[in-house]
Amino acid sequence: MKRVKKLVALLLAVTLLAAIPTVAYAASGYVPTKATYYYLENGKWKKDAERTYSYNSSGKIKKVTYKYSDGYSGWTKYSWKGNFVTKISYKDGEYNSFKYKGSKRKSAVFNTGSKATRSYKWKKNKCTYKDGDTTVTLKINGKGQLVSEKYKNADGSGSTTYKYYSNGNLKSYTSKGSGYSYTVKYNSKGFVKSEKGKSSSHSYSYTYSYKTKKGKIKERICKYNGKVSSKTVYSKWKKVSNIRNCDRFGCMVALG
């Protein structure tokens, strides 16, 4: 009888796993583990900050450490369960934590400045909840990836939509609200390509180009409104089995 129960439990577990849509991530490659940031001032490059990144062998980011030229320093840590980020912690003690059931986020705690706890109750692929006087609606696709967020309150309404590559990496997201809109785009490896936005008073654009050698990113040049404004120089790398800029739900993680 015990063997029968174990066999039934095993078959049930396999069935449940098969029912959860899977997301494949980008192929193996190199991710940067050390970067130095510079900004252009009066025609000269000035050092702004240094960052170090640590990953496990499957490409999940574990920690980002940063130190600015003015002496300010800190770190961000990521905890994972499977392909989901379950906690993002900061040096100052603040954090965001998340719990999942299957491919759906069930609860979250946001402790950055003030603490807020949120419960998610899904009806198929849609979830609506209250955050103070704001009503928020989330939608996920058949793979469990977040594809839209909409909010509405007394001050107005807005939305953010997300698109993904077939390898699971975030392709772009667009946010729109009362008097503003902006879009951020990424390449299939997960690195940022551009950010463009506008408001009632001005518009802006950042575009990024990369220099690579043997699959390793050596340098990234940033142009602000068409003019070179900053650069990032990479000096160390790690080979991982998956390069990713978000977790399975779509939670963005640091990458370069």
Side-chain angles (χ1 to χ4, degrees):
M1 180 61 71
K2 289 183 178 180
R3 288 184 178 181
V4 172
K5 287 183 177 179
K6 287 182 180 180
L7 180 58
V8 171
L10 178 61
L11 289 173
L12 179 59
V14 171
T15 302
L16 290 172
L17 287 171
I20 299 173
T22 58
V23 176
Y25 283 93
S28 63
Y30 290 94
V31 288
T33 58
K34 186 175 182 180
T36 306
Y37 296 78
Y38 300 88
Y39 63 93
L40 195 60
E41 184 176 86
N42 297 323
K44 294 183 179 180
W45 290 111
K46 292 194 173 182
K47 185 177 177 180
D48 182 36
E50 287 187 352
R51 289 191 182 186
T52 58
Y53 304 80
S54 62
Y55 308 80
N56 66 15
S57 60
S58 68
K60 295 171 185 173
I61 184 76
K62 296 192 298 182
K63 185 177 181 180
V64 182
T65 302
Y66 46 88
K67 183 177 182 180
Y68 288 87
S69 297
D70 62 5
Y72 179 77
S73 63
W75 49 257
T76 303
K77 292 181 180 179
Y78 296 86
S79 300
W80 295 73
K81 184 176 182 180
N83 283 319
F84 294 99
V85 171
T86 55
K87 191 173 185 179
I88 305 174
S89 307
Y90 305 94
K91 181 182 178 181
D92 61 6
E94 296 183 344
Y95 66 89
N96 296 326
S97 62
F98 313 97
K99 290 183 179 180
Y100 292 86
K101 184 176 182 180
S103 59
K104 294 176 180 177
R105 182 178 288 178
K106 300 301 292 182
S107 64
V109 176
F110 299 91
N111 186 20
T112 52
S114 60
K115 189 174 182 180
T117 301
R118 187 175 300 161
S119 296
Y120 301 82
K121 294 183 179 180
W122 296 87
K123 190 173 182 180
K124 293 185 177 180
N125 287 349
K126 184 178 179 180
C127 169
T128 300
Y129 63 87
K130 284 278 191 178
D131 187 1
D133 65 345
T134 301
T135 300
V136 183
T137 301
L138 306 180
K139 286 185 179 180
I140 58 176
N141 61 20
K143 295 180 179 180
Q145 297 165 316
L146 179 66
V147 292
S148 71
E149 293 179 277
K150 295 181 180 180
Y151 73 87
K152 186 176 182 180
N153 55 33
D155 297 322
S157 60
S159 64
T160 303
T161 56
Y162 303 85
K163 295 181 180 180
Y164 300 86
Y165 287 101
S166 59
N167 64 23
N169 273 331
L170 185 64
K171 184 177 184 179
S172 67
Y173 66 91
T174 299
S175 291
K176 296 180 180 180
S178 302
Y180 76 91
S181 67
Y182 63 91
T183 298
V184 181
K185 296 181 179 180
Y186 301 84
N187 62 28
S188 60
K189 284 286 189 179
F191 295 92
V192 63
K193 290 199 309 183
S194 65
E195 178 181 347
K196 296 182 180 181
K198 62 181 180 179
S199 67
S200 55
S201 59
H202 76 288
S203 61
Y204 70 92
S205 70
Y206 291 95
T207 57
Y208 301 87
S209 59
Y210 295 85
K211 294 181 181 179
T212 61
K213 186 177 181 180
K214 296 182 179 180
K216 299 176 181 178
I217 293 178
K218 304 289 288 186
E219 186 176 82
R220 178 176 68 193
I221 298 294
C222 173
K223 290 183 179 181
Y224 174 69
N225 289 344
K227 295 183 179 180
V228 174
S229 60
S230 61
K231 71 176 180 179
T232 307
V233 177
Y234 303 97
S235 53
K236 291 183 179 181
W237 305 264
K238 177 183 178 70
K239 190 170 185 178
V240 297
S241 59
N242 297 295
I243 301 175
R244 64 189 83 199
N245 64 359
C246 65
D247 74 350
R248 183 175 161 186
F249 186 72
C251 179
M252 287 175 279
V253 298
L255 184 60

